[in-house]
Amino acid sequence: MGQSQNSRAVDKIKQLAEYVRSQVVRRRNARGGRSAAEHLIAAMRCVYNHAVDDELITETDNPARRVAKPRRLPSTRRGLPESGLEEVNRVAASTGNDPTLDTLLLRLHTETACRRGGALALRFEDLDPGQCLILLREKGDTTRWQPVSPTLMRHLQDHAHQRGAAASGGQLLRYRDGRPITTRRYDHLWKRIGQHLPWVATQQISTHWLRHTTLKWVERRFGYAIARAYAGHTDSTSGDAGTTTTYIRADLDEIANALAAMTGESHPLAPNTPVMQGGGA
């Protein structure tokens, strides 16, 4: 590919990214189409990388690598105050067609700071009631054992037995008729909560805010290393901070210690930990 052709290809990718950015559906939480443009450029890089691998072009002729992705803006998500978390749980427990399921979802995400994908991938065989651990499978094909309180473990087991997951296997979280839930349950849950709590609708609160809430609570009281492990973030060797985390990695018993303090329940992996009565994210 000649230099002029390469420059034209670069311009075409930039123009396409701007077009995609301008045509996105405008939602209340939209951020100017940045994500759409970023995904478009990532897709173009993938296509041209395959062309390089197949020796159709050289790496120096790859126009996609010369197109910068839009700079990501800081997230508007943040941790909820304790009063806000209580309001959310109160509405979930008193409205809707399945409060038992909804309150279980909220407690699961609040205790573990897991993502929606991790909760939806949870199976009955992923429960270790003896040590109060659950196996989470999340993005990037990562897996981790996460401590949960004895109360949450009991409710997860009851849910699995009552709704068929214990007998049939497969996804643990289910509707009353035994159908596995999907992300739509989360969407309906937060829409309903927003109808009762206007601030939830206005700020576009979602399940991921619970992750922020828990991790902020853990970091403030137990430090960065434990909050990082609690989040399930994998080690990175890029940069000084990433290298340092190799030496300050928290252990599972330290995560259990933070959980015990947060929930006010002792945990099998941290049996001698004094709990903070009235704790909570």
Side-chain angles (χ1 to χ4, degrees):
M1 185 184 293
Q3 185 174 358
S4 61
Q5 286 180 307
N6 188 276
S7 296
R8 286 197 296 271
V10 170
D11 290 338
K12 289 292 185 182
I13 295 174
K14 290 180 178 178
Q15 292 169 11
L16 182 58
E18 284 303 312
Y19 174 78
V20 168
R21 182 172 178 168
S22 67
Q23 296 299 310
V24 296
V25 177
R26 302 294 176 181
R27 296 186 173 90
R28 293 182 60 185
N29 61 347
R31 314 202 78 184
R34 287 173 174 267
S35 180
E38 179 183 349
H39 291 161
L40 182 279
I41 294 171
M44 295 302 295
R45 288 182 180 180
C46 180
V47 170
Y48 278 101
N49 285 340
H50 281 296
V52 171
D53 292 340
D54 293 339
E55 300 183 348
L56 300 176
I57 61 173
T58 66
E59 181 59 39
T60 57
D61 288 333
N62 183 347
R65 69 185 181 91
R66 295 173 53 192
V67 180
K69 293 182 179 180
R71 180 177 59 86
R72 290 191 176 184
L73 298 175
S75 174
T76 59
R77 300 186 183 110
R78 63 183 186 281
L80 298 177
E82 185 173 349
S83 58
L85 189 59
E86 290 174 354
E87 283 188 288
V88 165
N89 278 280
R90 174 180 55 78
V91 171
S94 59
T95 63
N97 60 4
D98 197 346
T100 301
L101 171 62
D102 293 336
T103 52
L104 179 62
L105 287 177
L106 293 178
R107 177 145 189 169
L108 173 62
H109 285 279
T110 302
E111 280 200 18
T112 67
C114 69
R115 301 173 178 88
R116 292 194 312 183
L120 293 175
L122 190 63
R123 304 170 304 184
F124 179 67
E125 53 265 37
D126 296 330
L127 307 183
D128 181 350
Q131 298 189 86
C132 282
L133 297 172
I134 63 174
L135 183 63
L136 292 174
R137 299 175 182 82
E138 297 191 307
K139 68 178 185 178
D141 296 324
T142 61
T143 58
R144 60 188 169 102
W145 287 102
Q146 186 76 11
V148 297
S149 68
T151 296
L152 177 56
M153 177 59 72
R154 184 172 64 253
H155 284 301
L156 289 171
Q157 289 180 292
D158 291 345
H159 182 90
H161 285 291
Q162 294 167 6
R163 305 201 175 189
S168 63
Q171 185 176 324
L172 189 148
L173 296 170
R174 303 188 180 200
Y175 295 106
R176 285 196 181 96
D177 61 6
R179 289 180 298 119
I181 69 168
T182 67
T183 56
R184 289 175 62 86
R185 186 66 193 185
Y186 289 95
D187 296 337
H188 291 312
L189 170 60
W190 289 107
K191 182 178 180 180
R192 187 176 78 248
I193 294 174
Q195 291 171 344
H196 293 269
L197 301 174
W199 60 270
V200 169
T202 300
Q203 297 180 48
Q204 299 289 294
I205 308 298
S206 65
T207 305
H208 207 72
W209 288 60
L210 301 180
R211 180 172 168 84
H212 282 258
T213 303
T214 299
L215 296 180
K216 176 183 176 181
W217 191 94
V218 173
E219 190 277 333
R220 294 295 190 270
R221 292 162 176 79
F222 294 91
Y224 172 78
I226 295 178
R228 189 173 188 272
Y230 207 112
H233 289 159
T234 56
D235 288 333
S236 170
T237 57
S238 58
D240 293 340
T243 303
T244 303
T245 58
T246 303
Y247 303 98
I248 61 171
R249 184 170 49 198
D251 295 326
L252 200 57
D253 61 327
E254 294 176 289
I255 301 174
N257 177 23
L259 172 72
M262 183 176 66
T263 61
E265 295 186 46
S266 60
H267 190 277
L269 298 183
N272 299 319
T273 301
V275 297
M276 300 179 186
Q277 296 301 326

Coordinates of all heavy atoms in Angstrom, one line a residue, residues 100-170:
T100 N -38.3 -11.7 46.5 CA -37.3 -12.6 47.0 C -36.1 -12.6 46.1 O -34.9 -12.6 46.5 CB -37.9 -14.0 47.2 OG1 -39.0 -13.9 48.1 CG2 -36.8 -15.0 47.7
L101 N -36.4 -12.7 44.8 CA -35.3 -12.8 43.8 C -34.5 -11.4 43.8 O -33.3 -11.4 43.7 CB -35.9 -13.1 42.4 CG -34.9 -12.9 41.2 CD1 -33.8 -13.9 41.3 CD2 -35.7 -13.1 39.9
D102 N -35.3 -10.3 43.8 CA -34.6 -9.0 43.6 C -33.7 -8.7 44.8 O -32.6 -8.2 44.7 CB -35.7 -8.0 43.5 CG -36.5 -8.1 42.1 OD1 -35.9 -8.7 41.2 OD2 -37.6 -7.6 42.0
T103 N -34.2 -9.0 46.0 CA -33.4 -8.7 47.2 C -32.2 -9.6 47.2 O -31.1 -9.2 47.7 CB -34.2 -8.9 48.5 OG1 -34.8 -10.1 48.5 CG2 -35.2 -7.8 48.6
L104 N -32.3 -10.9 46.7 CA -31.2 -11.8 46.7 C -30.1 -11.2 45.7 O -28.9 -11.3 46.0 CB -31.6 -13.2 46.2 CG -30.5 -14.2 46.1 CD1 -29.8 -14.5 47.4 CD2 -31.1 -15.5 45.5
L105 N -30.6 -10.7 44.6 CA -29.7 -10.1 43.6 C -28.9 -8.9 44.2 O -27.7 -8.9 44.1 CB -30.4 -9.6 42.4 CG -31.0 -10.7 41.4 CD1 -31.7 -10.0 40.3 CD2 -29.8 -11.5 40.8
L106 N -29.6 -8.1 44.9 CA -29.0 -6.9 45.5 C -28.0 -7.3 46.5 O -26.9 -6.7 46.6 CB -30.0 -5.9 46.0 CG -30.9 -5.2 45.0 CD1 -31.9 -4.4 45.8 CD2 -30.1 -4.4 44.0
R107 N -28.3 -8.3 47.4 CA -27.4 -8.7 48.4 C -26.2 -9.4 47.8 O -25.0 -9.2 48.3 CB -28.1 -9.6 49.4 CG -27.1 -10.1 50.5 CD -27.7 -10.3 51.8 NE -26.7 -10.6 52.8 CZ -26.9 -10.6 54.1 NH1 -28.1 -10.3 54.6 NH2 -25.9 -10.9 55.0
L108 N -26.4 -10.2 46.8 CA -25.3 -10.9 46.1 C -24.2 -9.8 45.6 O -23.0 -10.0 45.8 CB -25.8 -11.8 45.0 CG -24.7 -12.4 44.1 CD1 -23.8 -13.4 44.9 CD2 -25.4 -13.2 43.0
H109 N -24.8 -8.8 44.9 CA -23.9 -7.9 44.3 C -23.2 -6.9 45.3 O -22.1 -6.5 45.2 CB -24.6 -7.0 43.2 CG -24.9 -7.8 42.0 ND1 -23.9 -7.9 41.0 CD2 -26.0 -8.4 41.5 CE1 -24.4 -8.6 40.0 NE2 -25.7 -9.0 40.3
T110 N -24.0 -6.6 46.4 CA -23.4 -5.8 47.4 C -22.3 -6.5 48.2 O -21.3 -5.9 48.5 CB -24.5 -5.3 48.4 OG1 -25.6 -4.6 47.6 CG2 -24.0 -4.4 49.4
E111 N -22.5 -7.7 48.5 CA -21.5 -8.5 49.3 C -20.3 -8.8 48.5 O -19.2 -8.7 49.0 CB -22.1 -9.8 49.9 CG -23.0 -9.6 51.1 CD -23.1 -10.9 51.9 OE1 -22.3 -11.8 51.7 OE2 -24.1 -11.0 52.7
T112 N -20.4 -9.2 47.3 CA -19.3 -9.7 46.5 C -18.7 -8.7 45.5 O -17.6 -8.9 45.0 CB -19.7 -10.9 45.7 OG1 -20.7 -10.5 44.7 CG2 -20.4 -12.0 46.5
A113 N -19.4 -7.6 45.3 CA -19.0 -6.6 44.3 C -18.8 -7.2 42.9 O -18.0 -6.8 42.1 CB -17.7 -5.9 44.7
C114 N -19.6 -8.3 42.6 CA -19.4 -9.0 41.3 C -20.2 -8.2 40.2 O -21.0 -7.4 40.5 CB -20.0 -10.4 41.4 SG -21.7 -10.6 41.6
R115 N -19.8 -8.5 39.0 CA -20.5 -7.9 37.9 C -21.7 -8.8 37.5 O -21.9 -9.9 38.0 CB -19.5 -7.9 36.7 CG -18.3 -7.1 36.9 CD -17.3 -7.2 35.7 NE -16.1 -6.4 35.9 CZ -15.0 -6.9 36.5 NH1 -15.0 -8.1 37.1 NH2 -13.9 -6.1 36.6
R116 N -22.6 -8.2 36.7 CA -23.8 -9.0 36.3 C -23.4 -10.3 35.7 O -24.1 -11.3 35.9 CB -24.6 -8.2 35.3 CG -25.3 -6.9 35.9 CD -26.4 -6.4 35.0 NE -26.0 -6.2 33.6 CZ -26.8 -5.7 32.7 NH1 -28.0 -5.2 33.0 NH2 -26.3 -5.5 31.4
G117 N -22.4 -10.3 34.8 CA -22.0 -11.6 34.2 C -21.6 -12.6 35.2 O -21.9 -13.8 35.0
G118 N -20.9 -12.2 36.2 CA -20.5 -13.2 37.3 C -21.7 -13.8 38.0 O -21.7 -15.0 38.3
A119 N -22.7 -13.0 38.3 CA -23.9 -13.5 38.9 C -24.7 -14.4 38.0 O -25.2 -15.4 38.4 CB -24.8 -12.3 39.4
L120 N -24.8 -14.0 36.7 CA -25.6 -14.8 35.8 C -24.9 -16.2 35.5 O -25.6 -17.1 35.1 CB -25.8 -14.1 34.5 CG -26.8 -12.8 34.6 CD1 -26.8 -12.1 33.3 CD2 -28.2 -13.2 35.1
A121 N -23.6 -16.2 35.6 CA -22.9 -17.5 35.4 C -22.8 -18.4 36.6 O -22.4 -19.5 36.5 CB -21.4 -17.1 34.9
L122 N -23.3 -17.9 37.7 CA -23.2 -18.7 39.0 C -24.1 -20.0 38.9 O -25.3 -19.9 38.4 CB -23.7 -17.9 40.1 CG -23.4 -18.4 41.5 CD1 -22.0 -18.6 41.8 CD2 -24.1 -17.5 42.6
R123 N -23.5 -21.1 39.3 CA -24.3 -22.4 39.3 C -24.3 -22.9 40.7 O -23.5 -22.5 41.6 CB -23.6 -23.4 38.3 CG -23.4 -22.9 36.9 CD -22.5 -23.8 36.1 NE -21.2 -24.0 36.8 CZ -20.2 -24.7 36.2 NH1 -20.4 -25.3 35.1 NH2 -19.1 -24.8 36.9
F124 N -25.2 -23.9 40.9 CA -25.3 -24.5 42.3 C -24.0 -25.2 42.7 O -23.6 -25.1 43.8 CB -26.4 -25.5 42.3 CG -26.6 -26.2 43.6 CD1 -27.1 -25.5 44.7 CD2 -26.3 -27.6 43.7 CE1 -27.2 -26.1 45.9 CE2 -26.5 -28.2 45.0 CZ -27.0 -27.5 46.1
E125 N -23.3 -25.8 41.7 CA -22.1 -26.5 42.1 C -20.9 -25.5 42.3 O -19.8 -25.9 42.8 CB -21.6 -27.4 41.0 CG -21.6 -26.8 39.6 CD -22.9 -27.1 38.8 OE1 -24.0 -27.0 39.4 OE2 -22.8 -27.3 37.6
D126 N -21.2 -24.2 42.1 CA -20.2 -23.2 42.4 C -20.2 -22.7 43.9 O -19.5 -21.8 44.3 CB -20.3 -22.0 41.5 CG -20.1 -22.3 40.1 OD1 -19.3 -23.2 39.8 OD2 -20.7 -21.7 39.2
L127 N -21.1 -23.3 44.7 CA -21.3 -22.9 46.1 C -20.5 -23.8 46.9 O -20.5 -25.1 46.8 CB -22.7 -23.0 46.5 CG -23.8 -22.2 45.7 CD1 -25.2 -22.3 46.3 CD2 -23.4 -20.7 45.5
D128 N -19.7 -23.2 47.8 CA -18.9 -24.0 48.8 C -19.4 -23.6 50.2 O -18.9 -22.7 50.8 CB -17.4 -23.7 48.7 CG -16.6 -24.5 49.7 OD1 -17.2 -25.1 50.6 OD2 -15.3 -24.5 49.6
P129 N -20.5 -24.2 50.7 CA -21.1 -23.8 51.9 C -20.2 -24.0 53.1 O -20.3 -23.2 54.1 CB -22.4 -24.7 52.0 CG -22.1 -25.8 51.2 CD -21.2 -25.4 50.1
G130 N -19.3 -25.0 53.1 CA -18.4 -25.2 54.2 C -17.5 -24.0 54.5 O -17.3 -23.7 55.7
Q131 N -17.0 -23.4 53.5 CA -16.1 -22.2 53.6 C -16.8 -20.9 53.3 O -16.2 -19.9 53.3 CB -14.9 -22.4 52.8 CG -14.0 -23.6 53.2 CD -12.7 -23.6 52.5 OE1 -11.7 -23.0 52.9 NE2 -12.7 -24.3 51.3
C132 N -18.1 -21.0 52.9 CA -18.8 -19.8 52.5 C -18.1 -19.1 51.4 O -17.8 -17.9 51.5 CB -19.1 -18.9 53.7 SG -20.4 -19.4 54.8
L133 N -17.9 -19.8 50.3 CA -17.3 -19.3 49.1 C -18.1 -19.5 47.9 O -18.8 -20.6 47.9 CB -15.9 -19.9 48.9 CG -14.8 -19.6 49.9 CD1 -13.6 -20.5 49.6 CD2 -14.4 -18.2 50.0
I134 N -18.1 -18.6 46.9 CA -18.8 -18.9 45.7 C -17.7 -18.7 44.6 O -16.8 -17.8 44.7 CB -20.0 -18.0 45.4 CG1 -19.6 -16.5 45.4 CG2 -21.0 -18.2 46.5 CD1 -20.8 -15.6 45.0
L135 N -17.9 -19.4 43.5 CA -16.9 -19.3 42.4 C -17.5 -18.4 41.3 O -18.6 -18.6 40.8 CB -16.7 -20.7 41.7 CG -15.7 -20.7 40.6 CD1 -14.3 -20.3 41.1 CD2 -15.7 -22.1 39.9
L136 N -16.9 -17.3 41.1 CA -17.3 -16.3 40.1 C -16.6 -16.4 38.8 O -15.3 -16.5 38.8 CB -17.2 -14.9 40.7 CG -18.0 -14.5 41.9 CD1 -17.7 -13.1 42.4 CD2 -19.5 -14.5 41.5
R137 N -17.3 -16.4 37.7 CA -16.7 -16.4 36.4 C -17.1 -15.0 35.7 O -18.2 -14.8 35.5 CB -17.2 -17.5 35.5 CG -16.9 -18.9 36.1 CD -17.6 -20.0 35.2 NE -17.4 -21.3 35.8 CZ -18.1 -21.8 36.8 NH1 -19.1 -21.1 37.3 NH2 -17.8 -23.0 37.2
E138 N -16.1 -14.2 35.5 CA -16.3 -12.9 35.0 C -15.6 -12.6 33.7 O -15.0 -13.5 33.1 CB -16.0 -11.9 36.1 CG -16.9 -12.1 37.3 CD -16.8 -10.9 38.3 OE1 -15.7 -10.6 38.7 OE2 -17.9 -10.4 38.7
K139 N -15.6 -11.3 33.3 CA -15.0 -11.0 32.0 C -13.6 -11.3 31.9 O -12.9 -11.4 32.9 CB -15.3 -9.5 31.7 CG -14.5 -8.6 32.6 CD -14.7 -7.1 32.2 CE -13.9 -6.1 32.9 NZ -14.1 -4.7 32.5
G140 N -13.1 -11.6 30.6 CA -11.8 -12.0 30.4 C -11.5 -13.4 30.8 O -10.3 -13.8 31.0
D141 N -12.5 -14.2 30.9 CA -12.4 -15.7 31.3 C -11.7 -15.8 32.7 O -11.1 -16.8 32.9 CB -11.6 -16.4 30.3 CG -12.4 -16.5 28.9 OD1 -13.6 -16.6 28.9 OD2 -11.7 -16.4 27.9
T142 N -11.9 -14.8 33.6 CA -11.3 -14.9 34.9 C -12.3 -15.7 35.8 O -13.5 -15.7 35.7 CB -11.1 -13.5 35.5 OG1 -12.3 -12.8 35.6 CG2 -10.1 -12.7 34.6
T143 N -11.7 -16.4 36.8 CA -12.4 -17.1 37.8 C -11.8 -16.8 39.1 O -10.6 -16.6 39.2 CB -12.4 -18.7 37.6 OG1 -11.1 -19.1 37.6 CG2 -13.1 -19.0 36.2
R144 N -12.7 -16.7 40.1 CA -12.1 -16.5 41.5 C -13.1 -17.0 42.5 O -14.3 -17.0 42.3 CB -11.9 -15.0 41.7 CG -13.1 -14.1 41.5 CD -12.8 -12.6 41.6 NE -13.9 -11.7 41.2 CZ -14.7 -11.1 42.0 NH1 -14.4 -11.1 43.3 NH2 -15.6 -10.3 41.6
W145 N -12.6 -17.4 43.7 CA -13.4 -17.8 44.8 C -13.6 -16.5 45.6 O -12.7 -15.8 46.0 CB -12.8 -18.8 45.6 CG -12.8 -20.2 45.0 CD1 -11.8 -20.8 44.3 CD2 -14.0 -21.1 44.9 NE1 -12.2 -22.0 43.9 CE2 -13.6 -22.2 44.2 CE3 -15.3 -21.0 45.4 CZ2 -14.4 -23.3 44.0 CZ3 -16.1 -22.1 45.2 CH2 -15.7 -23.2 44.5
Q146 N -14.9 -16.2 45.9 CA -15.2 -15.0 46.6 C -16.0 -15.3 47.9 O -17.0 -16.1 47.9 CB -16.1 -14.1 45.8 CG -16.4 -12.7 46.4 CD -15.3 -11.8 46.3 OE1 -14.3 -12.0 45.6 NE2 -15.3 -10.6 46.9
P147 N -15.6 -14.8 49.1 CA -16.3 -15.1 50.3 C -17.7 -14.4 50.3 O -17.9 -13.4 49.7 CB -15.4 -14.4 51.4 CG -14.0 -14.3 50.7 CD -14.3 -14.1 49.3
V148 N -18.6 -15.1 50.9 CA -20.0 -14.6 51.1 C -20.3 -14.9 52.6 O -19.8 -15.8 53.2 CB -21.0 -15.2 50.2 CG1 -20.7 -14.8 48.7 CG2 -21.2 -16.7 50.4
S149 N -21.3 -14.1 53.1 CA -21.7 -14.3 54.5 C -22.5 -15.6 54.6 O -23.1 -16.1 53.6 CB -22.6 -13.2 54.9 OG -23.8 -13.2 54.2
P150 N -22.6 -16.2 55.8 CA -23.4 -17.4 56.0 C -24.8 -17.2 55.6 O -25.5 -18.1 55.1 CB -23.2 -17.7 57.5 CG -21.9 -17.1 57.8 CD -21.7 -15.9 57.0
T151 N -25.3 -16.0 55.9 CA -26.7 -15.7 55.5 C -26.9 -15.7 54.0 O -27.9 -16.3 53.5 CB -27.1 -14.3 56.1 OG1 -27.1 -14.3 57.5 CG2 -28.6 -13.9 55.6
L152 N -26.1 -15.1 53.3 CA -26.2 -15.1 51.8 C -26.0 -16.5 51.3 O -26.8 -16.9 50.4 CB -25.2 -14.2 51.1 CG -25.2 -14.2 49.6 CD1 -26.5 -13.8 49.1 CD2 -24.1 -13.2 49.1
M153 N -25.1 -17.3 51.8 CA -24.9 -18.7 51.3 C -26.2 -19.5 51.6 O -26.6 -20.2 50.7 CB -23.8 -19.3 52.1 CG -23.5 -20.8 51.7 SD -23.2 -21.1 50.0 CE -21.6 -20.4 49.8
R154 N -26.8 -19.3 52.7 CA -28.1 -20.0 53.0 C -29.2 -19.6 52.0 O -29.9 -20.5 51.5 CB -28.5 -19.7 54.4 CG -29.7 -20.5 54.9 CD -30.0 -20.3 56.3 NE -30.4 -18.9 56.7 CZ -29.6 -18.1 57.3 NH1 -28.4 -18.5 57.7 NH2 -30.0 -16.9 57.6
H155 N -29.3 -18.4 51.7 CA -30.3 -17.9 50.8 C -30.0 -18.4 49.3 O -31.0 -18.8 48.6 CB -30.4 -16.4 50.8 CG -31.1 -15.9 52.0 ND1 -32.4 -16.2 52.3 CD2 -30.7 -15.0 53.0 CE1 -32.8 -15.6 53.4 NE2 -31.8 -14.8 53.8
L156 N -28.8 -18.5 49.0 CA -28.4 -19.0 47.6 C -28.8 -20.5 47.5 O -29.3 -20.9 46.5 CB -26.9 -18.8 47.3 CG -26.5 -17.3 47.1 CD1 -25.0 -17.2 47.0 CD2 -27.1 -16.8 45.8
Q157 N -28.5 -21.2 48.6 CA -28.8 -22.6 48.6 C -30.3 -22.8 48.5 O -30.8 -23.7 47.8 CB -28.2 -23.3 49.8 CG -26.7 -23.4 49.8 CD -26.2 -24.1 51.1 OE1 -26.3 -23.6 52.2 NE2 -25.7 -25.3 50.9
D158 N -31.1 -22.1 49.4 CA -32.5 -22.2 49.4 C -33.1 -21.9 48.0 O -34.0 -22.6 47.5 CB -33.1 -21.3 50.4 CG -32.8 -21.7 51.8 OD1 -32.4 -22.9 52.0 OD2 -33.0 -20.9 52.8
H159 N -32.6 -20.8 47.4 CA -33.0 -20.4 46.1 C -32.8 -21.5 45.1 O -33.7 -21.8 44.2 CB -32.3 -19.1 45.7 CG -32.7 -18.6 44.3 ND1 -33.7 -17.7 44.2 CD2 -32.2 -18.8 43.1 CE1 -33.8 -17.4 42.9 NE2 -32.9 -18.1 42.2
A160 N -31.6 -22.1 45.1 CA -31.3 -23.2 44.2 C -32.2 -24.4 44.3 O -32.7 -25.0 43.3 CB -29.9 -23.6 44.3
H161 N -32.5 -24.8 45.6 CA -33.4 -25.9 45.8 C -34.8 -25.6 45.4 O -35.5 -26.5 44.9 CB -33.3 -26.3 47.3 CG -32.0 -27.0 47.6 ND1 -31.7 -28.3 47.2 CD2 -31.0 -26.6 48.4 CE1 -30.6 -28.7 47.7 NE2 -30.1 -27.7 48.4
Q162 N -35.3 -24.4 45.8 CA -36.7 -24.1 45.5 C -37.0 -23.9 44.0 O -38.1 -24.1 43.6 CB -37.1 -22.8 46.3 CG -37.1 -23.0 47.8 CD -37.1 -21.7 48.6 OE1 -37.3 -20.7 48.0 NE2 -37.0 -21.8 49.9
R163 N -36.0 -23.4 43.3 CA -36.3 -23.1 41.9 C -35.7 -24.0 40.9 O -35.6 -23.7 39.7 CB -35.9 -21.6 41.6 CG -36.5 -20.7 42.6 CD -36.6 -19.3 42.2 NE -37.4 -18.5 43.2 CZ -37.8 -17.2 43.0 NH1 -37.4 -16.6 41.9 NH2 -38.4 -16.6 44.0
G164 N -35.2 -25.1 41.3 CA -34.8 -26.2 40.4 C -33.3 -26.3 40.0 O -32.9 -27.2 39.4
A165 N -32.5 -25.3 40.4 CA -31.1 -25.3 40.0 C -30.3 -26.4 40.6 O -29.4 -27.0 40.0 CB -30.5 -24.0 40.2
A166 N -30.7 -26.7 41.9 CA -29.9 -27.8 42.6 C -30.2 -29.1 41.9 O -29.3 -30.0 41.9 CB -30.4 -27.8 44.0
A167 N -31.4 -29.4 41.4 CA -31.7 -30.7 40.9 C -31.3 -30.8 39.4 O -30.8 -31.8 39.0 CB -33.2 -30.9 41.0
S168 N -31.4 -29.7 38.6 CA -31.2 -29.8 37.2 C -29.8 -29.3 36.8 O -29.4 -29.6 35.7 CB -32.3 -29.0 36.4 OG -32.2 -27.6 36.8
G169 N -29.2 -28.6 37.7 CA -27.9 -28.0 37.3 C -28.1 -26.7 36.4 O -29.2 -26.3 36.2
G170 N -27.0 -26.2 36.0 CA -27.1 -25.0 35.2 C -27.2 -23.7 36.0 O -26.8 -23.7 37.2

